[in-house]
């Protein structure tokens, strides 16, 4: 099929669907009959519907809390989720294991068997495809809040089919955000098609009266990502999703560390996503936001990690993001125990509860930063539309080929990797080397000046060493990687 940003016809969708469902035995479940699946999804009560609970939180101006969590033995996974619900999670995840993310279901199967034999978890998440619709339904039956798959899967078509048919009403990911930070050799053209499929499936459900939430993965590589780049990517994925019929979208942002910039980023993201969807004629959309607690390197010390989690929660609450993804005091160690995960939730919930009636005050600095992000996002998106001759899908492929959109520290060979970020003298994430980013001269001059200010203060030249120092700074207890004086 030729790549374009156009809603797939049902015929196109069903043709591909036959292949997707035939790719692993659990794809043949009769629960994947769409009439059956719609009936099942309609029986999911409102309080377990992700899209409805997000819309309600937005109306009330609340920031709800969601952890990451997933283990491979299904009974233990259910125990884990119940424990996190008890700890206060407003939404539950199922973090999917790495084999499933790479469509290596036979290896996931071996992992499940090994885990049973050795009585310990051998996979790093929940292998939803192997458990199939029936297994995923059992998980949902045992919890009382909405359930979402969180993963990092470039081709999540079968996974999306299985989880939605099981009544899980949200799926994370997108053509760029689940490719560029996660894969090396998969083209953007391929992942646009894979995610058009996932979105078209949701569009089919929406056309039949079922609300399902979709969430582009905002933080990308989670390391010094400039707000305008992640916001532009989120808006592109929201537009691509809306074209396929998605109505409920949660756009995301990973904490950068400067409070003004973080609040500005969430505000700009909400506003510009709504603006662009409206501009291209997508009506009746429900747009919400998600703030990710610090996604970069964490301090090893658990108490320090809890401090960082609390700061993240403060900023999320003040920004009025609709949802926040929590971290745990074990972040620097690996996959958390359920107790550690629960501690992250409890600390986070307390902070958002204390701040629920407050928000970050308007100020000149906030206003300027919002305007700066908006200007940069507009510049990037203008380039993308021009490159695609008006077609967003084509423009996106070209923008990555040419480095017009460039994600820092990404493993993908389809990403230019020429742009370099660094913090300015107040810790705002700025751009030190533009590569081929789609920025005009005015924007470039602004960044250059900000980097010069820092260089002067630190008595060194603007250089890659600043980027390196910044990458490690937070895990060492500082936001800005100041030069080490010997
Ligand atoms: N359970 C909990 N957290 C997980 N993460 C990855 N897999 C799991 C899992 N199975 C978390 C990492 C990191 C983020 C990207 O996802 O710890 O915080």
């Amino acid at each position: 099929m030729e790549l374009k940003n156009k809603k797939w016809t049902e015929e196109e969708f069903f043709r591909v669907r036959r292949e997707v469902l035939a790719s692993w035995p659990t794809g043949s479940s009769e629960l994947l009959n769409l009439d059956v699946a719609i009936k099942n999804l309609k029986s999911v009560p409102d309080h377990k519907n992700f899209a409805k609970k997000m819309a309600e939180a937005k109306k009330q101006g609340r920031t709800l809390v969601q952890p990451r969590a997933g283990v491979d033995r299904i009974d233990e996974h259910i125990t884990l989720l119940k424990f996190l619900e008890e700890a206060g999670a407003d939404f539950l995840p199922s973090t999917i294991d790495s084999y499933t993310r790479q469509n290596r279901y036979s290896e996931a199967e071996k992992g499940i068997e090994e885990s049973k034999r050795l009585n310990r978890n051998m996979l790093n998440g929940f292998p939803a495809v192997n458990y199939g619709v029936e297994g995923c339904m059992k998980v949902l039956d045992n919890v009382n809040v909405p359930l979402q798959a969180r993963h990092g899967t470039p081709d999540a078509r079968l996974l999306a089919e299985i989880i939605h048919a099981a009544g899980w009403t949200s799926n994370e990911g997108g053509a760029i955000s689940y490719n560029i930070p996660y894969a090396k050799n998969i083209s953007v053209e391929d992942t646009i098609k894979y995610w058009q499929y996932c979105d078209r499936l949701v569009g089919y459900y929406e056309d039949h009266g079922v609300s399902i939430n979709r969430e582009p993965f905002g933080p990308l590589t989670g390391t010094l990502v400039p707000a305008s780049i992640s916001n532009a990517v989120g808006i592109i994925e929201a537009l691509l999703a809306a074209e396929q019929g998605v109505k409920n979208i949660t756009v995301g942002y990973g904490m950068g560390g400067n409070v003004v910039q973080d609040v500005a980023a969430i505000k700009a993201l909400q506003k510009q996503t709504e603006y662009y969807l409206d501009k291209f004629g997508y009506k009746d959309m429900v747009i919400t936001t998600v703030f990710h607690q610090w996604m970069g390197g964490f301090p090893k010390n658990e108490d320090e990690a809890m401090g960082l989690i609390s700061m993240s929660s403060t900023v999320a609450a003040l920004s009025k993001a609709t949802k926040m993804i929590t971290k745990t005091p074990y972040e620097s160690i690996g996959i958390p125990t359920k107790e550690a995960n629960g501690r992250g939730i409890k600390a986070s919930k307390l902070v958002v509860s204390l701040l629920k009636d407050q928000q970050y005050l308007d100020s000149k600095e906030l206003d300027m930063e919002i305007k700066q992000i908006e200007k940069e996002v507009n510049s990037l998106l203008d380039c993308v539309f021009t490159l695609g001759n008006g077609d967003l899908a084509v423009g996106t492929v070209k923008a990555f080929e040419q480095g017009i959109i460039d994600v820092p520290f990404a493993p993908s060979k389809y990403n230019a990797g020429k742009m370099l970020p660094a913090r300015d003298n107040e810790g705002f994430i700025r751009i030190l080397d533009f590569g081929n980013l789609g920025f005009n001269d005015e924007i470039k001059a602004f960044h250059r000046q900000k980097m010069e200010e820092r260089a002067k203060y630190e008595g060194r030249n603007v250089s890659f060493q600043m980027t390196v120092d910044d990458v490690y700074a937070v895990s060492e207890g500082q936001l800005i990687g100041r030069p080490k004086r010997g």
Side-chain angles (χ1 to χ4, degrees):
M1 222 190 296
E2 189 201 342
L3 181 75
K4 56 178 187 304
N5 180 30
K6 183 94 192 78
K7 187 172 185 178
W8 292 17
T9 63
E10 286 196 4
E11 197 196 339
E12 286 169 328
F13 174 62
F14 285 122
R15 191 169 350 109
V16 178
R17 190 167 195 260
R18 272 193 295 278
E19 282 167 38
V20 169
L21 297 187
S23 64
W24 185 254
T26 51
S28 64
S29 166
E30 44 195 69
L31 297 175
L32 283 161
N33 175 310
L34 284 170
D35 296 330
V36 176
I38 287 166
K39 204 162 149 245
N40 174 45
L41 273 158
K42 286 189 172 166
S43 75
V44 173
D46 283 0
H47 70 275
K48 286 168 78 166
N49 182 294
F50 219 104
K52 290 181 182 166
K53 192 162 174 178
M54 285 298 283
E56 187 57 33
K58 182 185 180 185
K59 227 183 271 165
Q60 296 178 358
R62 292 180 63 197
T63 301
L64 299 183
V65 167
Q66 182 181 20
R68 296 185 175 88
V71 291
D72 62 49
R73 284 169 297 169
I74 193 162
D75 292 335
E76 212 181 300
H77 185 60
I78 290 169
T79 306
L80 168 64
L81 294 187
K82 285 174 131 167
F83 184 89
L84 300 178
E85 183 182 328
E86 190 67 27
D90 298 302
F91 296 104
L92 285 168
S94 289
T95 302
I96 307 299
D97 70 289
S98 298
Y99 283 131
T100 303
R101 295 178 186 203
Q102 295 176 59
N103 313 104
R104 288 157 66 177
Y105 310 123
S106 324
E107 283 152 288
E109 199 66 41
K110 281 197 201 112
I112 297 171
E113 280 157 23
E114 280 281 278
S115 296
K116 271 194 214 139
R117 200 167 60 79
L118 301 170
N119 200 29
R120 57 184 270 236
N121 294 306
M122 298 303 287
L123 301 178
N124 61 357
F126 180 73
V129 168
N130 293 66
Y131 284 119
V133 183
E134 291 80 357
C136 292
M137 267 182 171
K138 184 175 164 194
V139 177
L140 183 67
D141 281 345
N142 277 282
V143 299
N144 297 299
V145 299
L147 202 47
Q148 176 189 46
R150 302 189 66 86
H151 39 117
T153 310
D155 177 3
R157 294 174 297 176
L158 182 56
L159 176 64
E161 288 279 2
I162 286 172
I163 59 156
H164 294 321
W168 298 17
T169 41
S170 180
N171 188 19
E172 190 191 34
I176 303 164
S177 63
Y178 267 11
N179 175 351
I180 298 300
Y182 287 101
K184 186 173 174 191
N185 290 317
I186 305 178
S187 73
V188 176
E189 171 158 2
D190 283 349
T191 46
I192 290 178
K193 289 178 183 167
Y194 299 152
W195 282 92
Q196 281 180 328
Y197 180 98
C198 296
D199 288 330
R200 186 64 183 81
L201 173 63
V202 171
Y204 186 90
Y205 284 128
E206 290 281 357
D207 291 343
H208 291 80
V210 177
S211 301
I212 291 184
N213 173 267
R214 282 275 296 112
E215 179 184 337
F217 174 60
L220 300 174
T221 54
T223 307
L224 296 177
V225 180
S228 58
I229 293 180
S230 55
N231 283 10
V233 168
I235 293 167
I236 290 171
E237 291 188 357
L239 287 166
L240 292 172
E243 175 60 31
Q244 299 305 322
V246 175
K247 298 279 177 204
N248 295 276
I249 304 178
T250 304
V251 276
Y253 169 76
M255 174 181 170
N258 174 289
V259 179
V260 174
Q261 188 168 47
D262 285 337
V263 174
I266 287 286
K267 298 212 176 286
L269 183 59
Q270 175 81 47
K271 186 174 149 203
Q272 284 190 296
T273 307
E274 284 175 351
Y275 167 81
Y276 276 100
L277 286 165
D278 185 66
K279 177 176 166 177
F280 289 100
Y282 303 110
K283 307 290 175 201
D284 310 317
M285 304 290 299
V286 182
I287 303 304
T288 49
T289 55
V290 53
F291 184 96
H292 290 250
Q293 295 189 349
W294 178 251
M295 291 292 283
F298 250 68
K300 285 202 182 61
N301 180 286
E302 288 178 34
D303 300 318
E304 290 178 6
M306 288 304 262
L308 181 51
I309 287 168
S310 304
M311 176 186 171
S312 301
S313 303
T314 306
V315 182
L318 293 177
S319 78
K320 291 279 165 212
T322 327
K323 183 176 86 171
M324 166 173 56
I325 303 293
T326 57
K327 287 272 179 167
T328 81
Y330 284 13
E331 176 58 22
S332 78
I333 299 159
I335 292 177
T337 58
K338 63 182 191 308
E339 290 78 14
N341 213 332
R343 284 167 63 198
I345 295 169
K346 278 202 161 27
S348 302
K349 287 274 283 194
L350 178 86
V351 175
V352 293
S353 165
L354 291 173
L355 288 169
K356 72 173 186 292
D357 302 308
Q358 300 177 49
Q359 60 173 311
Y360 198 85
L361 292 181
D362 286 333
S363 63
K364 193 169 108 258
E365 289 74 16
L366 179 65
D367 192 49
M368 276 168 55
E369 187 60 23
I370 292 173
K371 291 213 169 77
Q372 183 64 32
I373 295 169
E374 287 178 351
K375 219 187 279 181
E376 294 176 14
V377 165
N378 288 337
S379 178
L380 293 171
L381 293 182
D382 284 350
C383 290
V384 174
F385 283 109
T386 307
L387 280 173
N389 267 325
D391 187 284
L392 180 61
V394 174
T396 299
V397 170
K398 290 191 176 160
F400 274 89
E401 264 167 22
Q402 298 180 21
I404 299 289
I405 296 184
D406 196 354
V407 176
F409 312 109
S412 173
K413 70 175 191 197
Y414 291 90
N415 181 71
K418 288 192 176 128
M419 182 279 272
L420 274 181
R423 293 189 187 280
D424 71 14
N425 211 34
E426 293 162 279
F428 289 75
I429 296 171
R430 306 292 183 201
I431 293 159
L432 182 150
D433 187 337
F434 301 101
N436 200 30
L437 270 188
F439 282 168
N440 59 34
D441 290 343
E442 182 200 337
I443 295 171
K444 287 183 183 175
F446 171 81
H447 285 265
R448 282 201 191 99
Q449 184 216 326
K450 289 290 174 187
M451 292 315 304
E452 281 304 329
E453 272 171 28
R454 171 174 172 187
K456 196 168 161 220
Y457 178 87
E458 293 181 352
R460 60 171 165 174
N461 292 328
V462 173
S463 83
F464 178 57
Q465 190 58 45
M466 286 179 173
T467 310
V468 176
D469 293 339
D470 289 346
V471 168
Y472 295 103
V474 170
S475 59
E476 294 165 0
Q478 306 292 327
L479 183 61
I480 307 171
R482 298 298 188 191
K484 294 177 184 67
R485 314 244 174 237

